[in-house]
Amino acid sequence: MKKIFFIIALTIAAMVNAQILEVASINKIATPENEDAKVAGIAPDGSYLLLTTGSNQGLQRFDLASGEIDIISEAAGAGYNVRISDDGKDVVYRETSYNENRMRVQKLMRQTLSTRQKMVLLPPTRDLQGISIHRNTISVVNGKKASRIALDQTQKTEAAPVLSISNGQLMITRGSKTEQLSPNGTDKSYIWPSVSPDGKHITYYVAGEGCYVAGIDGKNPQFIARQCRAAKWLDNSTLVAMADRDNGEVVTESAIVVYNLNNEMQRLTTDDLIAMYPYASQDGKHIVFSTDNGETYMINVK
């Protein structure tokens, strides 16, 4: 078996306010050399990664045990907002193109990894808003229309809340109804929304302000931190995010951080890495991130 990990001599950064996680190691993953590479997701059990580019061009599956790479798509936009099924067997992604009127459209695709069988879930549209996968159900919001697609046609579908952004506003779709949430007011601009694993809370980022957590109904918004960007849920009470700074042109520093709902923070990476855009495995044991020069690292959690 090809060895694809090597443990680098990184000292875990000192805790800033609290120890939220116990880190076993930080490993550099020997992905194919590509200065423009970026992580787009991790399997629920941490067995494979999804890789794309800085511009989300194409999507590849990288098996961590064998080092083998499977090309899922070479299309533009395929690496943006990818969703992986709870069992890790299916990937749902977008393919961006332009129609006859030179307007940008997105097609929603599904690939079953074991068979490489592809299925068009949604034909090219200009209104693809939100996507989620919960148990046996792919939920899709296209404009104001919501639809559910079963991963396994022999089992029932189960609707789950889907967050999306429309004209800078935070929207939520439950069942067939889409409504505006925008917990901090409609004069704000929202990005990076995510629903907690238990479906009880949401996190989102208000441009110019910072990261917040609120109830699934948008009530009681709680400020987390300004330097808590592109946050993902590690579990129902912990966020993993990046704390980055730039000079107006390029990112000059960035660290992977975790916050809990008590606003305690722990920094996981050191100053020698510009660590960005983390993803957490569903089992909470692995966090992966990319660097500014296309390297990929995994944080293993005890």
Side-chain angles (χ1 to χ4, degrees), residues 8 10-16 23 25-26 240-243 253-258 265-276 278 287-291 297-299:
I8 61 174
L10 281 177
T11 302
I12 305 302
M15 294 175 294
V16 177
V23 175
S25 62
I26 301 179
V240 57
M242 64 179 182
E253 59 181 283
S254 185
I256 303 303
V257 296
V258 288
M265 186 270 275
Q266 179 183 355
R267 177 172 173 154
L268 302 181
T269 57
T270 49
D271 291 341
D272 56 330
L273 289 178
I274 295 182
M276 300 183 292
I287 299 168
V288 291
F289 62 89
S290 307
T291 67
Y297 290 80
M298 178 179 287
I299 300 171

PDB file of all heavy atoms in Angstrom, residues 8 10-16 23 25-26 240-243 253-258 265-276 278 287-291 297-299:
ATOM      1  N   ILE A   8       4.753  15.755   9.762  1.00  0.00           N
ATOM      2  CA  ILE A   8       5.713  16.847   9.729  1.00  0.00           C
ATOM      3  C   ILE A   8       5.996  17.347  11.131  1.00  0.00           C
ATOM      4  O   ILE A   8       5.236  17.096  12.070  1.00  0.00           O
ATOM      5  CB  ILE A   8       5.185  17.990   8.849  1.00  0.00           C
ATOM      6  CG1 ILE A   8       3.876  18.538   9.429  1.00  0.00           C
ATOM      7  CG2 ILE A   8       4.967  17.533   7.435  1.00  0.00           C
ATOM      8  CD1 ILE A   8       3.383  19.748   8.718  1.00  0.00           C
ATOM      9  N   LEU A  10       5.545  19.757  13.139  1.00  0.00           N
ATOM     10  CA  LEU A  10       4.793  20.944  13.514  1.00  0.00           C
ATOM     11  C   LEU A  10       4.459  20.857  14.999  1.00  0.00           C
ATOM     12  O   LEU A  10       4.013  19.822  15.479  1.00  0.00           O
ATOM     13  CB  LEU A  10       3.475  21.012  12.724  1.00  0.00           C
ATOM     14  CG  LEU A  10       3.545  21.521  11.285  1.00  0.00           C
ATOM     15  CD1 LEU A  10       2.170  21.450  10.670  1.00  0.00           C
ATOM     16  CD2 LEU A  10       4.041  22.942  11.254  1.00  0.00           C
ATOM     17  N   THR A  11       4.670  21.919  15.705  1.00  0.00           N
ATOM     18  CA  THR A  11       4.257  21.995  17.095  1.00  0.00           C
ATOM     19  C   THR A  11       2.868  22.593  17.144  1.00  0.00           C
ATOM     20  O   THR A  11       2.615  23.620  16.540  1.00  0.00           O
ATOM     21  CB  THR A  11       5.213  22.887  17.897  1.00  0.00           C
ATOM     22  OG1 THR A  11       6.534  22.345  17.773  1.00  0.00           O
ATOM     23  CG2 THR A  11       4.812  22.933  19.366  1.00  0.00           C
ATOM     24  N   ILE A  12       1.946  21.916  17.815  1.00  0.00           N
ATOM     25  CA  ILE A  12       0.589  22.432  17.911  1.00  0.00           C
ATOM     26  C   ILE A  12       0.626  23.805  18.581  1.00  0.00           C
ATOM     27  O   ILE A  12       1.270  24.006  19.603  1.00  0.00           O
ATOM     28  CB  ILE A  12      -0.300  21.488  18.731  1.00  0.00           C
ATOM     29  CG1 ILE A  12      -0.247  20.065  18.148  1.00  0.00           C
ATOM     30  CG2 ILE A  12      -1.729  21.980  18.757  1.00  0.00           C
ATOM     31  CD1 ILE A  12      -0.673  19.983  16.712  1.00  0.00           C
ATOM     32  N   ALA A  13      -0.053  24.749  17.955  1.00  0.00           N
ATOM     33  CA  ALA A  13      -0.040  26.114  18.481  1.00  0.00           C
ATOM     34  C   ALA A  13      -0.616  26.170  19.890  1.00  0.00           C
ATOM     35  O   ALA A  13      -1.504  25.410  20.251  1.00  0.00           O
ATOM     36  CB  ALA A  13      -0.852  27.016  17.560  1.00  0.00           C
ATOM     37  N   ALA A  14      -0.085  27.053  20.662  1.00  0.00           N
ATOM     38  CA  ALA A  14      -0.554  27.199  22.039  1.00  0.00           C
ATOM     39  C   ALA A  14      -2.002  27.625  22.068  1.00  0.00           C
ATOM     40  O   ALA A  14      -2.475  28.361  21.213  1.00  0.00           O
ATOM     41  CB  ALA A  14       0.309  28.236  22.758  1.00  0.00           C
ATOM     42  N   MET A  15      -2.725  27.138  23.047  1.00  0.00           N
ATOM     43  CA  MET A  15      -4.122  27.509  23.195  1.00  0.00           C
ATOM     44  C   MET A  15      -4.238  28.998  23.468  1.00  0.00           C
ATOM     45  O   MET A  15      -3.446  29.562  24.219  1.00  0.00           O
ATOM     46  CB  MET A  15      -4.750  26.719  24.344  1.00  0.00           C
ATOM     47  CG  MET A  15      -4.831  25.231  24.093  1.00  0.00           C
ATOM     48  SD  MET A  15      -5.454  24.355  25.535  1.00  0.00           S
ATOM     49  CE  MET A  15      -4.132  24.635  26.706  1.00  0.00           C
ATOM     50  N   VAL A  16      -5.247  29.601  22.867  1.00  0.00           N
ATOM     51  CA  VAL A  16      -5.448  31.025  23.070  1.00  0.00           C
ATOM     52  C   VAL A  16      -6.309  31.267  24.304  1.00  0.00           C
ATOM     53  O   VAL A  16      -5.958  32.042  25.178  1.00  0.00           O
ATOM     54  CB  VAL A  16      -6.084  31.655  21.819  1.00  0.00           C
ATOM     55  CG1 VAL A  16      -6.365  33.123  22.064  1.00  0.00           C
ATOM     56  CG2 VAL A  16      -5.166  31.483  20.627  1.00  0.00           C
ATOM     57  N   VAL A  23      -5.559  17.407  20.042  1.00  0.00           N
ATOM     58  CA  VAL A  23      -5.033  17.076  18.722  1.00  0.00           C
ATOM     59  C   VAL A  23      -3.954  16.013  18.839  1.00  0.00           C
ATOM     60  O   VAL A  23      -3.003  16.155  19.608  1.00  0.00           O
ATOM     61  CB  VAL A  23      -4.474  18.341  18.039  1.00  0.00           C
ATOM     62  CG1 VAL A  23      -3.815  17.984  16.718  1.00  0.00           C
ATOM     63  CG2 VAL A  23      -5.596  19.350  17.825  1.00  0.00           C
ATOM     64  N   SER A  25      -2.211  14.770  15.955  1.00  0.00           N
ATOM     65  CA  SER A  25      -1.145  15.092  15.003  1.00  0.00           C
ATOM     66  C   SER A  25      -1.676  15.968  13.895  1.00  0.00           C
ATOM     67  O   SER A  25      -2.894  16.069  13.684  1.00  0.00           O
ATOM     68  CB  SER A  25      -0.547  13.817  14.402  1.00  0.00           C
ATOM     69  OG  SER A  25      -1.549  13.106  13.668  1.00  0.00           O
ATOM     70  N   ILE A  26      -0.761  16.607  13.195  1.00  0.00           N
ATOM     71  CA  ILE A  26      -1.079  17.322  11.969  1.00  0.00           C
ATOM     72  C   ILE A  26      -0.219  16.708  10.863  1.00  0.00           C
ATOM     73  O   ILE A  26       1.018  16.718  10.962  1.00  0.00           O
ATOM     74  CB  ILE A  26      -0.812  18.829  12.076  1.00  0.00           C
ATOM     75  CG1 ILE A  26      -1.642  19.448  13.199  1.00  0.00           C
ATOM     76  CG2 ILE A  26      -1.148  19.514  10.764  1.00  0.00           C
ATOM     77  CD1 ILE A  26      -1.415  20.934  13.385  1.00  0.00           C
ATOM     78  N   VAL A 240     -15.386  24.887  13.305  1.00  0.00           N
ATOM     79  CA  VAL A 240     -14.014  24.968  12.819  1.00  0.00           C
ATOM     80  C   VAL A 240     -14.007  25.978  11.679  1.00  0.00           C
ATOM     81  O   VAL A 240     -14.896  25.977  10.828  1.00  0.00           O
ATOM     82  CB  VAL A 240     -13.475  23.589  12.373  1.00  0.00           C
ATOM     83  CG1 VAL A 240     -14.351  22.956  11.301  1.00  0.00           C
ATOM     84  CG2 VAL A 240     -12.036  23.707  11.894  1.00  0.00           C
ATOM     85  N   ALA A 241     -13.023  26.868  11.683  1.00  0.00           N
ATOM     86  CA  ALA A 241     -13.031  27.981  10.726  1.00  0.00           C
ATOM     87  C   ALA A 241     -11.603  28.435  10.470  1.00  0.00           C
ATOM     88  O   ALA A 241     -10.642  27.857  10.980  1.00  0.00           O
ATOM     89  CB  ALA A 241     -13.871  29.132  11.280  1.00  0.00           C
ATOM     90  N   MET A 242     -11.468  29.484   9.667  1.00  0.00           N
ATOM     91  CA  MET A 242     -10.147  30.074   9.448  1.00  0.00           C
ATOM     92  C   MET A 242     -10.153  31.506   9.973  1.00  0.00           C
ATOM     93  O   MET A 242     -11.154  32.209   9.912  1.00  0.00           O
ATOM     94  CB  MET A 242      -9.769  30.049   7.968  1.00  0.00           C
ATOM     95  CG  MET A 242     -10.645  30.868   7.044  1.00  0.00           C
ATOM     96  SD  MET A 242     -10.054  30.771   5.320  1.00  0.00           S
ATOM     97  CE  MET A 242     -11.222  31.875   4.495  1.00  0.00           C
ATOM     98  N   ALA A 243      -9.004  31.892  10.524  1.00  0.00           N
ATOM     99  CA  ALA A 243      -8.788  33.264  10.978  1.00  0.00           C
ATOM    100  C   ALA A 243      -7.729  33.858  10.065  1.00  0.00           C
ATOM    101  O   ALA A 243      -6.534  33.613  10.249  1.00  0.00           O
ATOM    102  CB  ALA A 243      -8.333  33.282  12.430  1.00  0.00           C
ATOM    103  N   GLU A 253      -1.750  35.961   6.227  1.00  0.00           N
ATOM    104  CA  GLU A 253      -1.694  34.984   7.306  1.00  0.00           C
ATOM    105  C   GLU A 253      -3.062  34.363   7.492  1.00  0.00           C
ATOM    106  O   GLU A 253      -4.094  34.999   7.238  1.00  0.00           O
ATOM    107  CB  GLU A 253      -1.220  35.617   8.618  1.00  0.00           C
ATOM    108  CG  GLU A 253      -2.092  36.753   9.108  1.00  0.00           C
ATOM    109  CD  GLU A 253      -1.572  37.356  10.406  1.00  0.00           C
ATOM    110  OE1 GLU A 253      -1.776  36.732  11.466  1.00  0.00           O
ATOM    111  OE2 GLU A 253      -0.968  38.444  10.341  1.00  0.00           O
ATOM    112  N   SER A 254      -3.083  33.119   7.896  1.00  0.00           N
ATOM    113  CA  SER A 254      -4.356  32.445   8.138  1.00  0.00           C
ATOM    114  C   SER A 254      -4.115  31.208   8.983  1.00  0.00           C
ATOM    115  O   SER A 254      -3.161  30.462   8.752  1.00  0.00           O
ATOM    116  CB  SER A 254      -5.027  32.049   6.817  1.00  0.00           C
ATOM    117  OG  SER A 254      -6.316  31.510   7.051  1.00  0.00           O
ATOM    118  N   ALA A 255      -4.964  30.996   9.970  1.00  0.00           N
ATOM    119  CA  ALA A 255      -4.844  29.845  10.868  1.00  0.00           C
ATOM    120  C   ALA A 255      -6.187  29.128  10.943  1.00  0.00           C
ATOM    121  O   ALA A 255      -7.252  29.729  10.733  1.00  0.00           O
ATOM    122  CB  ALA A 255      -4.410  30.294  12.257  1.00  0.00           C
ATOM    123  N   ILE A 256      -6.128  27.828  11.242  1.00  0.00           N
ATOM    124  CA  ILE A 256      -7.339  27.070  11.507  1.00  0.00           C
ATOM    125  C   ILE A 256      -7.647  27.179  12.995  1.00  0.00           C
ATOM    126  O   ILE A 256      -6.775  26.941  13.848  1.00  0.00           O
ATOM    127  CB  ILE A 256      -7.178  25.592  11.097  1.00  0.00           C
ATOM    128  CG1 ILE A 256      -6.799  25.495   9.608  1.00  0.00           C
ATOM    129  CG2 ILE A 256      -8.475  24.826  11.370  1.00  0.00           C
ATOM    130  CD1 ILE A 256      -7.768  26.163   8.652  1.00  0.00           C
ATOM    131  N   VAL A 257      -8.873  27.554  13.302  1.00  0.00           N
ATOM    132  CA  VAL A 257      -9.297  27.749  14.692  1.00  0.00           C
ATOM    133  C   VAL A 257     -10.588  26.992  14.944  1.00  0.00           C
ATOM    134  O   VAL A 257     -11.341  26.672  14.011  1.00  0.00           O
ATOM    135  CB  VAL A 257      -9.501  29.246  15.016  1.00  0.00           C
ATOM    136  CG1 VAL A 257      -8.197  30.013  14.907  1.00  0.00           C
ATOM    137  CG2 VAL A 257     -10.554  29.863  14.081  1.00  0.00           C
ATOM    138  N   VAL A 258     -10.839  26.686  16.211  1.00  0.00           N
ATOM    139  CA  VAL A 258     -12.136  26.137  16.613  1.00  0.00           C
ATOM    140  C   VAL A 258     -12.718  27.026  17.702  1.00  0.00           C
ATOM    141  O   VAL A 258     -11.989  27.577  18.534  1.00  0.00           O
ATOM    142  CB  VAL A 258     -12.036  24.672  17.108  1.00  0.00           C
ATOM    143  CG1 VAL A 258     -11.780  23.733  15.957  1.00  0.00           C
ATOM    144  CG2 VAL A 258     -10.987  24.516  18.188  1.00  0.00           C
ATOM    145  N   MET A 265     -11.968  29.900  22.229  1.00  0.00           N
ATOM    146  CA  MET A 265     -11.278  29.638  20.971  1.00  0.00           C
ATOM    147  C   MET A 265      -9.968  28.901  21.192  1.00  0.00           C
ATOM    148  O   MET A 265      -9.288  29.112  22.197  1.00  0.00           O
ATOM    149  CB  MET A 265     -11.008  30.967  20.249  1.00  0.00           C
ATOM    150  CG  MET A 265     -10.403  30.812  18.847  1.00  0.00           C
ATOM    151  SD  MET A 265      -8.610  30.789  18.818  1.00  0.00           S
ATOM    152  CE  MET A 265      -8.266  32.561  18.784  1.00  0.00           C
ATOM    153  N   GLN A 266      -9.654  28.018  20.250  1.00  0.00           N
ATOM    154  CA  GLN A 266      -8.373  27.326  20.253  1.00  0.00           C
ATOM    155  C   GLN A 266      -7.783  27.403  18.847  1.00  0.00           C
ATOM    156  O   GLN A 266      -8.457  27.096  17.866  1.00  0.00           O
ATOM    157  CB  GLN A 266      -8.540  25.868  20.667  1.00  0.00           C
ATOM    158  CG  GLN A 266      -7.246  25.063  20.677  1.00  0.00           C
ATOM    159  CD  GLN A 266      -7.481  23.605  21.022  1.00  0.00           C
ATOM    160  OE1 GLN A 266      -8.593  23.200  21.350  1.00  0.00           O
ATOM    161  NE2 GLN A 266      -6.432  22.809  20.950  1.00  0.00           N
ATOM    162  N   ARG A 267      -6.539  27.807  18.750  1.00  0.00           N
ATOM    163  CA  ARG A 267      -5.848  27.837  17.462  1.00  0.00           C
ATOM    164  C   ARG A 267      -5.155  26.497  17.252  1.00  0.00           C
ATOM    165  O   ARG A 267      -4.466  25.999  18.149  1.00  0.00           O
ATOM    166  CB  ARG A 267      -4.836  28.983  17.442  1.00  0.00           C
ATOM    167  CG  ARG A 267      -4.023  29.052  16.164  1.00  0.00           C
ATOM    168  CD  ARG A 267      -3.180  30.302  16.123  1.00  0.00           C
ATOM    169  NE  ARG A 267      -2.286  30.274  14.954  1.00  0.00           N
ATOM    170  CZ  ARG A 267      -1.808  31.354  14.368  1.00  0.00           C
ATOM    171  NH1 ARG A 267      -2.153  32.547  14.808  1.00  0.00           N
ATOM    172  NH2 ARG A 267      -1.001  31.247  13.327  1.00  0.00           N
ATOM    173  N   LEU A 268      -5.323  25.924  16.057  1.00  0.00           N
ATOM    174  CA  LEU A 268      -4.809  24.586  15.801  1.00  0.00           C
ATOM    175  C   LEU A 268      -3.546  24.559  14.947  1.00  0.00           C
ATOM    176  O   LEU A 268      -2.843  23.548  14.936  1.00  0.00           O
ATOM    177  CB  LEU A 268      -5.883  23.733  15.108  1.00  0.00           C
ATOM    178  CG  LEU A 268      -7.211  23.559  15.858  1.00  0.00           C
ATOM    179  CD1 LEU A 268      -8.149  22.664  15.060  1.00  0.00           C
ATOM    180  CD2 LEU A 268      -6.993  22.999  17.250  1.00  0.00           C
ATOM    181  N   THR A 269      -3.260  25.622  14.217  1.00  0.00           N
ATOM    182  CA  THR A 269      -2.093  25.625  13.331  1.00  0.00           C
ATOM    183  C   THR A 269      -1.138  26.746  13.720  1.00  0.00           C
ATOM    184  O   THR A 269      -1.491  27.674  14.446  1.00  0.00           O
ATOM    185  CB  THR A 269      -2.518  25.793  11.859  1.00  0.00           C
ATOM    186  OG1 THR A 269      -3.275  26.998  11.716  1.00  0.00           O
ATOM    187  CG2 THR A 269      -3.353  24.612  11.398  1.00  0.00           C
ATOM    188  N   THR A 270       0.076  26.646  13.201  1.00  0.00           N
ATOM    189  CA  THR A 270       1.142  27.565  13.568  1.00  0.00           C
ATOM    190  C   THR A 270       1.343  28.624  12.493  1.00  0.00           C
ATOM    191  O   THR A 270       0.815  28.542  11.387  1.00  0.00           O
ATOM    192  CB  THR A 270       2.445  26.794  13.786  1.00  0.00           C
ATOM    193  OG1 THR A 270       2.654  25.913  12.677  1.00  0.00           O
ATOM    194  CG2 THR A 270       2.382  25.970  15.054  1.00  0.00           C
ATOM    195  N   ASP A 271       2.156  29.629  12.825  1.00  0.00           N
ATOM    196  CA  ASP A 271       2.343  30.783  11.951  1.00  0.00           C
ATOM    197  C   ASP A 271       3.040  30.460  10.635  1.00  0.00           C
ATOM    198  O   ASP A 271       2.966  31.253   9.691  1.00  0.00           O
ATOM    199  CB  ASP A 271       3.153  31.869  12.670  1.00  0.00           C
ATOM    200  CG  ASP A 271       2.366  32.512  13.806  1.00  0.00           C
ATOM    201  OD1 ASP A 271       1.127  32.391  13.804  1.00  0.00           O
ATOM    202  OD2 ASP A 271       2.992  33.120  14.696  1.00  0.00           O
ATOM    203  N   ASP A 272       3.720  29.315  10.550  1.00  0.00           N
ATOM    204  CA  ASP A 272       4.465  29.006   9.335  1.00  0.00           C
ATOM    205  C   ASP A 272       3.579  28.497   8.211  1.00  0.00           C
ATOM    206  O   ASP A 272       4.046  28.296   7.087  1.00  0.00           O
ATOM    207  CB  ASP A 272       5.587  27.991   9.625  1.00  0.00           C
ATOM    208  CG  ASP A 272       5.068  26.722  10.271  1.00  0.00           C
ATOM    209  OD1 ASP A 272       4.056  26.793  10.991  1.00  0.00           O
ATOM    210  OD2 ASP A 272       5.679  25.665  10.063  1.00  0.00           O
ATOM    211  N   LEU A 273       2.302  28.278   8.491  1.00  0.00           N
ATOM    212  CA  LEU A 273       1.353  27.850   7.474  1.00  0.00           C
ATOM    213  C   LEU A 273       0.283  28.914   7.262  1.00  0.00           C
ATOM    214  O   LEU A 273      -0.219  29.491   8.217  1.00  0.00           O
ATOM    215  CB  LEU A 273       0.663  26.544   7.874  1.00  0.00           C
ATOM    216  CG  LEU A 273       1.478  25.248   7.872  1.00  0.00           C
ATOM    217  CD1 LEU A 273       0.608  24.102   8.358  1.00  0.00           C
ATOM    218  CD2 LEU A 273       2.040  24.961   6.492  1.00  0.00           C
ATOM    219  N   ILE A 274      -0.063  29.159   5.997  1.00  0.00           N
ATOM    220  CA  ILE A 274      -1.258  29.951   5.685  1.00  0.00           C
ATOM    221  C   ILE A 274      -2.353  28.926   5.419  1.00  0.00           C
ATOM    222  O   ILE A 274      -2.499  28.401   4.318  1.00  0.00           O
ATOM    223  CB  ILE A 274      -1.023  30.885   4.486  1.00  0.00           C
ATOM    224  CG1 ILE A 274       0.046  31.923   4.855  1.00  0.00           C
ATOM    225  CG2 ILE A 274      -2.319  31.580   4.080  1.00  0.00           C
ATOM    226  CD1 ILE A 274       0.330  32.939   3.774  1.00  0.00           C
ATOM    227  N   ALA A 275      -3.077  28.593   6.472  1.00  0.00           N
ATOM    228  CA  ALA A 275      -4.044  27.495   6.474  1.00  0.00           C
ATOM    229  C   ALA A 275      -5.446  28.037   6.254  1.00  0.00           C
ATOM    230  O   ALA A 275      -5.908  28.911   6.997  1.00  0.00           O
ATOM    231  CB  ALA A 275      -3.958  26.743   7.794  1.00  0.00           C
ATOM    232  N   MET A 276      -6.138  27.497   5.244  1.00  0.00           N
ATOM    233  CA  MET A 276      -7.417  28.080   4.846  1.00  0.00           C
ATOM    234  C   MET A 276      -8.470  27.010   4.571  1.00  0.00           C
ATOM    235  O   MET A 276      -8.161  25.868   4.282  1.00  0.00           O
ATOM    236  CB  MET A 276      -7.231  28.950   3.599  1.00  0.00           C
ATOM    237  CG  MET A 276      -6.262  30.107   3.786  1.00  0.00           C
ATOM    238  SD  MET A 276      -6.147  31.172   2.312  1.00  0.00           S
ATOM    239  CE  MET A 276      -5.348  30.070   1.158  1.00  0.00           C
ATOM    240  N   PRO A 278     -11.186  25.092   6.062  1.00  0.00           N
ATOM    241  CA  PRO A 278     -11.215  23.755   6.665  1.00  0.00           C
ATOM    242  C   PRO A 278     -12.518  23.008   6.382  1.00  0.00           C
ATOM    243  O   PRO A 278     -13.577  23.611   6.168  1.00  0.00           O
ATOM    244  CB  PRO A 278     -11.094  24.063   8.153  1.00  0.00           C
ATOM    245  CG  PRO A 278     -11.772  25.394   8.302  1.00  0.00           C
ATOM    246  CD  PRO A 278     -11.431  26.153   7.050  1.00  0.00           C
ATOM    247  N   ILE A 287      -9.907  16.975  10.500  1.00  0.00           N
ATOM    248  CA  ILE A 287     -10.110  18.286   9.896  1.00  0.00           C
ATOM    249  C   ILE A 287      -9.069  18.435   8.797  1.00  0.00           C
ATOM    250  O   ILE A 287      -7.880  18.220   9.037  1.00  0.00           O
ATOM    251  CB  ILE A 287      -9.923  19.416  10.934  1.00  0.00           C
ATOM    252  CG1 ILE A 287     -10.949  19.279  12.066  1.00  0.00           C
ATOM    253  CG2 ILE A 287     -10.048  20.787  10.263  1.00  0.00           C
ATOM    254  CD1 ILE A 287     -10.651  20.182  13.262  1.00  0.00           C
ATOM    255  N   VAL A 288      -9.501  18.763   7.594  1.00  0.00           N
ATOM    256  CA  VAL A 288      -8.563  18.963   6.495  1.00  0.00           C
ATOM    257  C   VAL A 288      -8.617  20.425   6.064  1.00  0.00           C
ATOM    258  O   VAL A 288      -9.639  21.089   6.193  1.00  0.00           O
ATOM    259  CB  VAL A 288      -8.848  18.042   5.294  1.00  0.00           C
ATOM    260  CG1 VAL A 288      -8.539  16.608   5.636  1.00  0.00           C
ATOM    261  CG2 VAL A 288     -10.296  18.187   4.819  1.00  0.00           C
ATOM    262  N   PHE A 289      -7.483  20.896   5.543  1.00  0.00           N
ATOM    263  CA  PHE A 289      -7.434  22.274   5.063  1.00  0.00           C
ATOM    264  C   PHE A 289      -6.384  22.387   3.974  1.00  0.00           C
ATOM    265  O   PHE A 289      -5.538  21.505   3.794  1.00  0.00           O
ATOM    266  CB  PHE A 289      -7.141  23.246   6.205  1.00  0.00           C
ATOM    267  CG  PHE A 289      -5.801  23.050   6.883  1.00  0.00           C
ATOM    268  CD1 PHE A 289      -4.656  23.692   6.413  1.00  0.00           C
ATOM    269  CD2 PHE A 289      -5.684  22.220   7.993  1.00  0.00           C
ATOM    270  CE1 PHE A 289      -3.426  23.521   7.040  1.00  0.00           C
ATOM    271  CE2 PHE A 289      -4.448  22.035   8.622  1.00  0.00           C
ATOM    272  CZ  PHE A 289      -3.319  22.689   8.136  1.00  0.00           C
ATOM    273  N   SER A 290      -6.443  23.495   3.233  1.00  0.00           N
ATOM    274  CA  SER A 290      -5.495  23.782   2.165  1.00  0.00           C
ATOM    275  C   SER A 290      -4.609  24.941   2.582  1.00  0.00           C
ATOM    276  O   SER A 290      -4.948  25.721   3.478  1.00  0.00           O
ATOM    277  CB  SER A 290      -6.236  24.148   0.879  1.00  0.00           C
ATOM    278  OG  SER A 290      -7.191  23.167   0.537  1.00  0.00           O
ATOM    279  N   THR A 291      -3.460  25.060   1.915  1.00  0.00           N
ATOM    280  CA  THR A 291      -2.590  26.209   2.133  1.00  0.00           C
ATOM    281  C   THR A 291      -2.569  27.066   0.873  1.00  0.00           C
ATOM    282  O   THR A 291      -3.093  26.677  -0.180  1.00  0.00           O
ATOM    283  CB  THR A 291      -1.156  25.768   2.468  1.00  0.00           C
ATOM    284  OG1 THR A 291      -0.570  25.145   1.317  1.00  0.00           O
ATOM    285  CG2 THR A 291      -1.146  24.805   3.644  1.00  0.00           C
ATOM    286  N   TYR A 297      -3.377  19.440   4.299  1.00  0.00           N
ATOM    287  CA  TYR A 297      -3.016  18.917   5.609  1.00  0.00           C
ATOM    288  C   TYR A 297      -4.260  18.337   6.287  1.00  0.00           C
ATOM    289  O   TYR A 297      -5.389  18.765   6.017  1.00  0.00           O
ATOM    290  CB  TYR A 297      -2.446  20.008   6.504  1.00  0.00           C
ATOM    291  CG  TYR A 297      -1.076  20.500   6.093  1.00  0.00           C
ATOM    292  CD1 TYR A 297      -0.915  21.420   5.063  1.00  0.00           C
ATOM    293  CD2 TYR A 297       0.067  20.021   6.747  1.00  0.00           C
ATOM    294  CE1 TYR A 297       0.343  21.861   4.692  1.00  0.00           C
ATOM    295  CE2 TYR A 297       1.330  20.468   6.381  1.00  0.00           C
ATOM    296  CZ  TYR A 297       1.466  21.391   5.346  1.00  0.00           C
ATOM    297  OH  TYR A 297       2.717  21.825   4.974  1.00  0.00           O
ATOM    298  N   MET A 298      -4.001  17.370   7.183  1.00  0.00           N
ATOM    299  CA  MET A 298      -5.079  16.799   7.992  1.00  0.00           C
ATOM    300  C   MET A 298      -4.730  16.912   9.459  1.00  0.00           C
ATOM    301  O   MET A 298      -3.625  16.546   9.882  1.00  0.00           O
ATOM    302  CB  MET A 298      -5.334  15.338   7.627  1.00  0.00           C
ATOM    303  CG  MET A 298      -6.414  14.677   8.474  1.00  0.00           C
ATOM    304  SD  MET A 298      -6.723  12.952   8.013  1.00  0.00           S
ATOM    305  CE  MET A 298      -7.596  13.186   6.466  1.00  0.00           C
ATOM    306  N   ILE A 299      -5.670  17.408  10.245  1.00  0.00           N
ATOM    307  CA  ILE A 299      -5.551  17.449  11.697  1.00  0.00           C
ATOM    308  C   ILE A 299      -6.327  16.253  12.239  1.00  0.00           C
ATOM    309  O   ILE A 299      -7.521  16.084  11.972  1.00  0.00           O
ATOM    310  CB  ILE A 299      -6.134  18.734  12.273  1.00  0.00           C
ATOM    311  CG1 ILE A 299      -5.409  19.964  11.699  1.00  0.00           C
ATOM    312  CG2 ILE A 299      -6.067  18.739  13.801  1.00  0.00           C
ATOM    313  CD1 ILE A 299      -6.052  21.299  12.053  1.00  0.00           C
TER     314      ILE A 299
END
